[in-house]
């Protein structure tokens, strides 16, 4: 039998937001899922890169992974070169049919990869064919297989699902926290433990890793269970209601709510019922590899157990007759709400923020590929001049601007563009990173980070933490030097 590959990966970056971050280190470890998670050495690796010229870092992100600035500055690869190698490696793995696995990757690592590809004029979504996130599976395990894994409590008395907390609680050792290679290896170990201790949950978490498999699954099941996690992890028992206003997103009906209370409402009453805090219409996203469990799991929740399966089935049978009608009404109400919000939010986006909205033609996609492949300055300029989309032009300029070491940047940039272009691009960067307003931006802002350092210094002094003070001084110097450089052109 052909072995199913699973590739675990983790990124360390310079920002908490994946849409602002520069990936400084990425590691991946590929193993055979059906062969006791045996690691395949030649399908594993690590890439490290330098900072981008245009991007300051977030102080807390740097303190978390604790990679010395001098180590980052001395890396051989620019960030574009890291992204280029990352793309090649993951395309190769995708062609082999691997499952891409992360810990909280739906909220970070996959987003970081997609955005890194996009702003470097590459096609994103390499990992989207088959993707799996261990964090939701670990959360699901806490309610669907209680006792299978151990959990620490956080300061608020709730279970902590952070990777390092899960490793400690389950006796899994790691040589170094917040290091891409060791975090990847730790995630693999935790995944193997989950598979050993709660195979039904692990299997369910893998089952819907392909988006196309989600709708047939939830339409086939009459009643099923799933979980959601906000401040705590909660079991839901319900049924598929219909397709939402967004492709690949589906409405689920929580059978805690008696359909008799809903089906008699007019549109205004339904609108008010939908706006109340205890939401009985839930949204399932097919691109998030949802975990669907058997309806018998309802007994693990006190509310559903009190209702009993006889009552739950009675509610389901009543709702089944009016599913389509109710789904249509919900769609109309939510579409109206979405359009109102869309009208209200007319803020212009920067090109770096348009991964979901930038309309790229086939012709320009081909030009993007050529721009990436051609190392000749003259040819790259010719290709650049053929771009019709101004946003793509800005991304292309930024790609070149961020690809060279500081000491050679102006010379290399001006081999493709003019000195006037160089000054214009640098001025744009200066405006974004020196901004003192609260305006949202895809760029980390230096004044905000310097203020954060001042706050952390007070705490470090109070705690007499000389090592932390030394770290903060190093981070402060880098940001102040960067600020002084850009203030000359702002």
């Amino acid at each position: 039998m052909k072995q199913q590959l699973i590739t675990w990966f983790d990124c360390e970056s310079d920002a908490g937001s994946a849409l602002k971050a520069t990936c400084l280190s990425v590691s991946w470890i590929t193993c055979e899922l059906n062969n006791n998670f045996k690691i395949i050495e030649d399908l594993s690796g690590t890439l490290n890169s330098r900072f981008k010229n245009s991007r300051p870092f977030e102080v807390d992100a740097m303190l978390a992974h604790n990679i010395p600035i001098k180590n980052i500055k001395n890396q051989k690869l620019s960030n574009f070169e890291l992204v280029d190698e990352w793309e090649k490696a993951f395309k190769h793995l995708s062609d082999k049919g691997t499952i891409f696995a992360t810990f909280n990757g739906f909220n970070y690592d996959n987003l970081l990869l997609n955005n890194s590809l996009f702003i470097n004029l590459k096609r994103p979504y390499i990992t989207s064919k088959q993707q799996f996130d261990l964090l939701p599976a670990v959360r699901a395990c806490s309610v669907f297989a209680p006792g299978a894994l151990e959990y620490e409590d956080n300061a608020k008395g709730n279970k902590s699902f952070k990777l390092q907390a899960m490793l400690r609680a389950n006796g899994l050792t790691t040589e170094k926290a917040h290091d891409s290679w060791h975090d990847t290896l730790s995630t693999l170990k935790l995944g193997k433990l989950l598979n050993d201790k709660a195979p039904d949950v692990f299997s369910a978490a893998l089952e819907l890793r392909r988006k196309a498999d989600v709708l047939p699954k939830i339409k086939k099941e009459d009643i099923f269970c799933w979980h959601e996690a906000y401040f705590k992890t909660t079991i839901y028992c319900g049924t598929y209601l219909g397709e939402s206003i967004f492709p690949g997103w589906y409405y689920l009906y929580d059978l805690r709510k008696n359909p008799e209370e809903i089906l008699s409402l007019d549109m205004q009453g339904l609108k008010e019922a939908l706006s109340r805090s205890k939401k009985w219409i839930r949204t399932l996203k097919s691109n998030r590899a949802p975990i669907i469990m058997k309806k018998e799991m309802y007994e693990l929740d006190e509310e559903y157990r009190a209702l009993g399966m006889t009552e739950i089935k009675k509610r389901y049978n009543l709702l089944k007759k009016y599913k389509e009608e109710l789904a249509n009404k919900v769609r109309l109400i939510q579409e109206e709400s979405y359009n109102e919000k869309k009208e209200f939010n007319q803020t212009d986006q920067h090109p770096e923020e348009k991964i979901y909205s930038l309309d790229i033609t086939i012709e320009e996609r081909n030009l993007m590929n050529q721009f990436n492949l051609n190392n000749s300055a003259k040819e790259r300029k010719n290709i650049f001049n053929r771009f019709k989309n101004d946003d793509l032009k800005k991304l292309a300029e930024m790609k070149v601007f961020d690809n060279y070491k500081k000491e050679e940047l102006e010379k290399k940039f001006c081999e493709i563009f003019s000195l006037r272009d160089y000054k214009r691009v640098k001025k744009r960067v200066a405006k974004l990173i020196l901004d003192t307003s609260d305006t949202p931006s895809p760029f980390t802002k230096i004044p905000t980070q310097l203020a954060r350092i001042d706050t952390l210094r007070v705490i470090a002094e109070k705690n007499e933490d000389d090592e932390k003070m030394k770290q903060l001084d190093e981070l402060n110097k880098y940001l102040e030097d960067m600020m002084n450089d850009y203030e000359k052109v702002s």
Side-chain angles (χ1 to χ4, degrees):
M1 181 178 71
K2 184 180 178 182
Q3 286 295 335
Q4 173 65 64
L5 301 180
I6 183 165
T7 299
W8 306 84
F9 74 97
D10 178 77
C11 307
E12 298 299 334
S13 74
D14 64 357
S17 165
L19 299 182
K20 291 184 179 182
T22 299
C23 179
L24 301 175
S25 178
V26 57
S27 297
W28 61 97
I29 300 175
T30 303
C31 62
E32 294 179 340
L33 185 60
N34 300 325
N35 189 17
N36 200 31
F37 288 62
K38 180 184 176 183
I39 294 173
I40 304 173
E41 297 292 345
D42 60 354
L43 293 179
S44 306
T46 293
L47 296 168
N48 300 296
S49 89
R50 302 189 295 272
F51 291 116
K52 288 181 181 176
N53 296 313
S54 65
R55 303 294 183 109
F57 50 68
E58 288 183 1
V59 174
D60 290 279
M62 296 295 292
L63 291 173
H65 57 63
N66 197 23
I67 306 172
I69 283 181
K70 67 175 184 180
N71 290 7
I72 299 171
K73 291 168 72 173
N74 290 333
Q75 290 298 327
K76 292 180 181 179
L77 298 180
S78 67
N79 189 253
F80 158 64
E81 289 167 334
L82 176 144
V83 172
D84 195 35
E85 294 299 317
W86 193 1
E87 177 194 42
K88 289 175 186 174
F90 275 32
K91 275 186 173 180
H92 177 62
L93 285 162
S94 180
D95 290 343
K96 285 185 169 290
T98 198
I99 301 165
F100 290 99
T102 55
F103 192 90
N104 198 29
F106 287 150
N107 294 318
Y108 198 83
D109 303 84
N110 284 302
L111 297 179
L112 179 56
L113 170 60
N114 290 336
N115 200 59
S116 297
L117 291 166
F118 167 71
I119 63 177
N120 278 284
L121 305 182
K122 293 175 177 287
R123 191 185 293 273
Y125 312 121
I126 295 173
T127 61
S128 297
K129 286 183 183 178
Q130 298 193 77
Q131 53 185 351
F132 163 66
D133 192 339
L134 186 59
L135 175 56
V138 166
R139 284 174 170 156
C141 180
S142 72
V143 290
F144 291 125
L149 295 179
E150 299 295 327
Y151 300 87
E152 288 185 354
D153 287 342
N154 60 24
K156 295 183 178 179
N158 297 321
K159 287 184 174 68
S160 173
F161 296 102
K162 291 182 177 180
L163 179 59
Q164 300 306 319
M166 290 302 304
L167 297 176
R168 286 192 301 269
N170 290 279
L172 299 174
T173 58
T174 180
E175 289 184 34
K176 188 178 180 183
H178 303 293
D179 169 272
S180 64
W181 177 261
H182 292 293
D183 279 358
T184 301
L185 185 58
S186 297
T187 304
L188 185 161
K189 290 177 181 178
L190 184 59
K192 184 178 184 303
L193 183 66
L194 178 65
N195 183 48
D196 292 341
K197 298 287 188 178
D200 289 346
V201 174
F202 190 84
S203 177
L206 282 178
E207 183 182 359
L208 300 181
R209 62 186 183 272
R210 297 183 183 91
K211 290 187 290 185
D213 295 336
V214 174
L215 185 58
K217 173 74 175 179
I218 59 177
K219 289 182 79 172
K220 178 184 175 184
E221 302 287 337
D222 51 358
I223 301 168
F224 52 86
C225 291
W226 71 96
H227 80 291
E228 295 180 23
Y230 295 100
F231 295 107
K232 66 176 185 176
T233 306
T234 304
I235 289 177
Y236 286 84
C237 180
T239 188
Y240 167 72
L241 185 66
E243 298 190 28
S244 85
I245 61 175
F246 302 111
W249 293 21
Y250 307 111
Y251 296 135
L252 304 184
Y253 188 95
D254 177 5
L255 289 166
R256 280 190 188 92
K257 187 72 172 177
N258 193 333
E260 287 182 352
E261 299 174 24
I262 300 302
L263 296 175
S264 60
L265 297 173
D266 59 17
M267 285 295 281
Q268 182 57 36
L270 182 59
K271 189 173 182 179
E272 290 172 4
L274 285 169
S275 67
R276 293 181 191 130
S277 59
K278 197 164 185 179
K279 305 294 183 184
W280 42 272
I281 293 290
R282 316 302 299 183
T283 302
L284 180 145
K285 302 174 184 178
S286 64
N287 64 344
R288 307 280 287 204
I291 300 170
I292 303 299
M293 303 296 289
K294 294 178 181 178
K295 60 176 173 281
E296 287 77 14
M297 292 289 184
Y298 85 95
E299 292 187 336
L300 293 169
D301 180 88
E302 189 176 337
E303 276 189 85
Y304 293 118
R305 192 166 62 249
L307 279 176
M309 185 49 71
T310 300
E311 175 63 21
I312 290 171
K313 283 184 176 179
K314 179 183 173 183
R315 294 180 178 190
Y316 166 75
N317 288 328
L318 173 60
L319 181 66
K320 185 167 63 170
K321 301 175 186 177
Y322 303 97
K323 267 187 178 185
E324 189 174 344
E325 180 184 347
L326 180 57
N328 286 337
K329 289 180 178 179
V330 172
R331 268 193 298 272
L332 285 172
I333 291 168
Q334 294 203 336
E335 188 169 20
E336 180 184 324
S337 175
Y338 172 73
N339 288 335
E340 284 176 2
K341 288 179 183 176
K342 195 175 177 182
E343 262 182 57
F344 180 75
N345 184 14
Q346 295 294 327
T347 307
D348 288 336
Q349 289 183 311
H350 296 282
E352 292 84 356
E353 299 174 291
K354 295 185 178 181
I355 184 170
Y356 304 116
S357 60
L358 190 59
D359 187 18
I360 301 172
T361 65
I362 294 174
E363 179 187 357
E364 287 190 308
R365 178 69 67 187
N366 290 333
L367 289 174
M368 290 160 65
N369 292 337
Q370 291 174 40
F371 190 84
N372 279 324
L373 292 172
N374 202 303
N375 292 319
S376 161
K378 183 179 179 181
E379 282 302 311
R380 293 186 93 187
K381 179 63 175 177
N382 289 337
I383 295 165
F384 175 87
N385 287 335
R386 290 162 62 192
F387 282 126
K388 297 174 184 175
N389 188 307
D390 287 339
D391 288 325
L392 288 180
K393 287 185 173 183
K394 284 184 180 178
L395 290 177
E397 288 175 334
M398 291 304 302
K399 179 185 177 76
V400 175
F401 187 84
D402 280 322
N403 193 39
Y404 299 104
K405 292 183 178 180
K406 183 179 177 181
E407 55 269 22
E408 61 178 355
L409 173 57
E410 182 177 331
K411 178 177 179 293
K412 291 289 187 181
F413 187 94
C414 293
E415 287 177 1
I416 302 174
F417 306 107
S418 68
L419 180 60
R420 183 179 179 182
D421 291 328
Y422 173 77
K423 291 179 178 179
R424 173 177 51 78
V425 170
K426 194 168 183 180
K427 193 169 185 177
R428 174 185 181 246
V429 174
K431 183 178 179 182
L432 289 165
I433 67 175
L434 301 180
D435 182 21
T436 57
S437 75
D438 294 329
T439 306
S441 171
F443 286 61
T444 300
K445 300 176 182 181
I446 291 178
T448 303
Q449 296 310 308
L450 290 177
R452 177 61 177 160
I453 288 175
D454 289 342
T455 300
L456 293 173
R457 272 177 168 158
V458 171
I459 297 171
E461 284 178 358
K462 184 178 179 180
N463 294 334
E464 297 182 353
D465 190 339
D466 293 337
E467 185 61 33
K468 181 61 66 65
M469 286 294 294
K470 185 178 177 182
Q471 286 177 287
L472 293 171
D473 287 345
E474 183 183 27
L475 298 176
N476 189 81
K477 184 177 186 311
Y478 182 92
L479 290 175
E480 284 194 338
D481 287 347
M482 190 176 191
M483 181 174 67
N484 292 336
D485 180 39
Y486 279 97
E487 280 180 337
K488 296 172 185 175
V489 297
S490 62

